[in-house]
Amino acid sequence: MKITYYPEDDVIYIDLQDKPSVESEEVSPDIVVDFDEEGIPVGIEISNASQKVRFQDLEIINLPVSGLTLKKAA
């Protein structure tokens, strides 16, 4: 999973799986879910993100992963 913020567009995109999307559905104003060919969600786009997401409150809790890497864009 990858979470990317695009400041020039004020959009957050959450890649859930490394699969192409074939269909998208706006599930709420400014929130679009992308689906693969089997109807499984592969991504979530949040527009006007700075108005909807509190970036400073980001927490990662109980994920079953080791070696988590945080990257900051250059």
Side-chain angles (χ1 to χ4, degrees), residues 3-7 9-14 46-60:
I3 301 171
T4 306
Y5 177 61
Y6 299 94
D9 299 316
D10 193 23
V11 169
I12 288 178
Y13 193 80
I14 304 167
I46 303 171
S47 300
N48 299 307
S50 62
Q51 297 172 18
K52 294 179 175 46
V53 178
R54 292 178 49 115
F55 298 110
Q56 67 275 16
D57 291 339
L58 176 65
E59 293 183 50
I60 300 171

Side-chain angles (χ1 to χ4, degrees), residues 60 62-69:
I60 300 171
N62 295 330
L63 287 181
V65 297
S66 60
L68 183 65
T69 303

Side-chain angles (χ1 to χ4, degrees), residues 31-45:
I31 300 178
V32 175
V33 178
D34 293 330
F35 299 91
D36 70 7
E37 60 187 17
E38 297 172 4
I40 297 171
V42 295
I44 302 168
E45 178 181 292

